[in-house]
Amino acid sequence: MTSPISDLFADLQSTLPEGSISRDPKDLTSYAHSKYPQFKGSPHSVVVHAQSTADVVEVVKLANKHRVPIVAYSGGTSLEGNLSGTGEGGSICLDLSGMNKIIKINEEDSDVVCEAGVMWNVLNATLKEKGIPLFFPLDPAPGATIGGMIAQGCSGTNAVRYGTARGEYILNLTAVLASGEVIKTRQRARKSSAGFDLTKLFIGAEGTLGIVTEATLRLAPVLPISVAVVSFPNVHSATSAVTDILKLGASIQCAEIIDDIGIRAMNKYGKSSTKWQEVDTILLKYQGSTAVMLDSSQMVEGVIAQHGGYSYHYIQDGAQAQVLWDDRKNGLFGVLQSNPGKKGFITDVCVPVSRLPDIITWCKNECMQKGLIAPMTGHVGDGNFHAFILYGNEDEFKAAQEIVDSMNRKAIELDGTCTGEHGVGLGKKMYLTEELGEGTVALMKTIKAALDPLNLLNPGKLYPDGVPRPSL
């Protein structure tokens, strides 16, 4: 008698184009992990490289036939064990990274239709190359793809101005359901009150309700930018200043906090010619006309003085401003270069903005007590912050996990969430009942059972089940 995986493999070979299927052990392992591995993923049984929605449909139908689960993959930048195989019984990794076509740019309507494997930064570069003065404003880690961004409910530094994936920038999506049926959640109109908002049902569902293959994205106009850098004596002063700035209506696109460790790494490895004081620092990105940005800058200078801010630098040159912002986006790589032999455990939480100083201060103290280096950065405008806890051995990794566990619970205690933008996966599913309540989690599981009764789509992720988080 042959095994279900052997039978599945034979059917895949007879159905899909040559070269689209792999059982190479290296592929089975690498596709079960993120590019930033901090959880030990279980290898898959087979990797399928899809080129179209039709390919995805065929794979889903064969998964149903042989009762083998599917884990979708595209950019490989997720952080919470979202890509792991299912272990015993085997799994299919369905790689969507080859579905990277920008199908149609509707410049007059300020939207674009693209496949799930398109990287957001490549999309924006393409728009720029074509001379189209529009961009897609959701900006997670470089290399993240549209499909993964939808699955994780992503956001980024622009969230304070443009919101998150759960806002109105995902106009519709095409998804393959667990049955193999293809649906499109709505038409391309900018707004609709026709029925349920099924688009948002799939946003943040982490590929457990359907596999997103295409999406229509709303674009925003490209506006001139400038950047300000200001030093503060502590996190509390910095956060309070940003809160007051936003209340006054300054034209702020991004508001980021970087601690002294992060600034030190930027100074050492960044491309900006200016070296910044290595203290808690706020980076502000203004947008708009020159007059609007200057007015906002003057408004900000008046506010920061009331909160102990000093060394205010205003960078009007757009190219220099972009270099500084790129240094911010790549800052964690600089931290790793500064600490050879170390790896980083990356996590995020989000709390009401007024509680951000409390949780950052608490987290820094916890790391200091355990002797761990942990730079902190945050989207201070919306209360979301990231800890990058360095470890060099198993004991330090366990200490980092203990801090992350306490940090998640602390965020929930402060009326926040265990994840602002990284998603749940394997790493945070144990906190959902505490955060959302038993009734809400039960409803999530009911929806999952209705759409995926055989539990074939990314099983074991997102929904609390009492299974311990995997170790390194």
Side-chain angles (χ1 to χ4, degrees), residues 53-76:
T53 297
D55 285 351
V56 175
V57 170
E58 292 296 335
V59 174
V60 171
K61 287 181 177 179
L62 290 175
N64 273 273
K65 176 181 176 181
H66 297 284
R67 300 295 195 262
V68 178
I70 301 173
V71 179
Y73 178 105
S74 52

Side-chain angles (χ1 to χ4, degrees), residues 303-450:
V303 172
I304 64 172
Q306 302 171 25
H307 294 274
Y310 59 97
S311 297
Y312 180 83
H313 294 268
Y314 181 52
I315 304 171
Q316 290 181 273
D317 181 83
Q320 292 182 21
Q322 190 58 54
V323 167
L324 176 60
W325 214 258
D326 289 344
D327 286 349
R328 151 66 187 95
K329 294 285 284 186
N330 295 313
L332 295 185
F333 300 108
V335 171
L336 287 175
Q337 287 180 289
S338 300
N339 295 274
K342 298 282 189 179
K343 296 180 180 179
F345 194 117
I346 312 171
T347 192
D348 87 310
V349 296
C350 188
V351 295
V353 176
S354 63
R355 307 309 301 269
L356 190 60
D358 301 332
I359 195 164
I360 292 180
T361 302
W362 174 90
C363 189
K364 288 180 77 72
N365 288 338
E366 288 289 305
C367 291
M368 288 177 61
Q369 289 176 16
K370 292 185 181 294
L372 298 177
I373 300 170
M376 309 283 170
T377 62
H379 311 315
V380 66
D382 51 25
N384 185 200
F385 97 98
H386 304 261
F388 190 58
I389 306 174
L390 301 183
Y391 62 92
N393 54 49
E394 184 66 23
D395 288 341
E396 289 182 345
F397 179 75
K398 289 180 179 177
Q401 278 195 319
E402 290 172 2
I403 292 171
V404 169
D405 178 69
S406 297
M407 189 171 80
N408 290 324
R409 299 188 190 283
K410 185 71 172 177
I412 295 168
E413 176 189 318
L414 295 174
D415 206 17
T417 175
C418 65
T419 176
E421 57 187 22
H422 289 176
V424 176
L426 295 172
K428 299 205 174 189
K429 64 181 181 179
M430 68 287 293
Y431 307 109
L432 253 63
T433 302
E434 183 178 348
E435 177 178 329
L436 302 177
E438 291 183 1
T440 299
V441 170
L443 179 58
M444 288 171 57
K445 290 182 177 180
T446 299
I447 294 169
K448 165 69 170 172

Side-chain angles (χ1 to χ4, degrees), residues 25-355:
K26 291 182 180 178
D27 288 343
L28 303 182
T29 299
S30 64
Y31 279 89
H33 293 85
S34 167
K35 294 176 181 175
Y36 312 106
Q38 55 200 39
F39 294 106
K40 185 177 181 179
S42 299
H44 297 289
S45 305
V46 60
V47 176
V48 178
H49 304 288
Q51 299 298 318
S52 66
T53 297
D55 285 351
V56 175
V57 170
E58 292 296 335
V59 174
V60 171
K61 287 181 177 179
L62 290 175
N64 273 273
K65 176 181 176 181
H66 297 284
R67 300 295 195 262
V68 178
I70 301 173
V71 179
Y73 178 105
S74 52
T77 60
S78 58
L79 295 166
E80 296 295 341
N82 315 70
L83 304 174
S84 175
T86 57
E88 187 176 350
S91 57
I92 304 165
C93 175
L94 184 53
D95 172 27
L96 306 177
S97 62
M99 296 178 60
N100 56 6
K101 298 182 184 68
I102 298 173
I103 298 170
K104 187 176 182 183
I105 300 170
N106 301 298
E107 183 175 357
E108 290 185 352
D109 297 324
S110 297
D111 68 49
V112 59
V113 183
C114 65
E115 292 183 316
V118 172
M119 297 180 185
W120 69 269
N121 46 312
V122 171
L123 170 60
N124 284 340
T126 301
L127 293 168
K128 184 176 181 180
E129 288 169 6
K130 290 181 177 294
I132 298 173
L134 300 169
F135 79 116
F136 183 56
L138 305 186
D139 63 331
T145 63
I146 298 304
M149 292 162 67
I150 291 169
Q152 303 306 322
C154 82
S155 57
T157 63
N158 288 330
V160 70
R161 169 65 177 83
Y162 294 102
T164 74
R166 298 181 192 274
E168 293 298 321
Y169 280 90
I170 315 294
L171 294 179
N172 67 40
L173 54 84
T174 297
V176 180
L177 303 182
S179 63
E181 180 184 358
V182 180
I183 67 163
K184 185 174 180 179
T185 53
R186 54 177 267 197
Q187 298 280 64
R188 197 166 55 84
R190 183 63 63 88
K191 63 181 183 178
S192 171
S193 59
F196 299 140
D197 190 345
L198 292 179
T199 303
K200 288 190 175 61
L201 182 65
F202 292 92
I203 297 173
E206 303 192 9
T208 65
L209 302 181
I211 299 171
V212 174
T213 59
E214 292 181 12
T216 301
L217 311 174
R218 180 181 173 187
L219 303 175
V222 175
L223 300 175
I225 64 165
S226 58
V227 169
V229 181
V230 57
S231 302
F232 283 91
N234 53 59
V235 172
H236 190 276
S237 298
T239 308
S240 298
V242 172
T243 301
D244 285 351
I245 289 166
L246 294 175
K247 286 178 184 176
L248 292 175
S251 185
I252 303 292
Q253 181 174 330
C254 311
E256 299 288 293
I257 188 167
I258 306 175
D259 71 0
D260 56 330
I261 302 173
I263 292 293
R264 192 173 304 122
M266 283 177 56
N267 281 340
K268 190 171 183 180
Y269 295 102
K271 296 181 179 179
S272 175
S273 58
T274 305
K275 302 304 175 186
W276 310 103
Q277 294 191 49
E278 295 174 0
V279 296
D280 293 328
T281 301
I282 293 292
L283 270 63
L284 297 170
K285 183 186 286 188
Y286 304 109
Q287 65 171 192
S289 67
T290 300
V292 166
M293 290 190 289
L294 284 173
D295 182 62
S296 292
S297 178
Q298 292 170 2
M299 188 186 304
V300 166
E301 284 193 88
V303 172
I304 64 172
Q306 302 171 25
H307 294 274
Y310 59 97
S311 297
Y312 180 83
H313 294 268
Y314 181 52
I315 304 171
Q316 290 181 273
D317 181 83
Q320 292 182 21
Q322 190 58 54
V323 167
L324 176 60
W325 214 258
D326 289 344
D327 286 349
R328 151 66 187 95
K329 294 285 284 186
N330 295 313
L332 295 185
F333 300 108
V335 171
L336 287 175
Q337 287 180 289
S338 300
N339 295 274
K342 298 282 189 179
K343 296 180 180 179
F345 194 117
I346 312 171
T347 192
D348 87 310
V349 296
C350 188
V351 295
V353 176
S354 63
R355 307 309 301 269

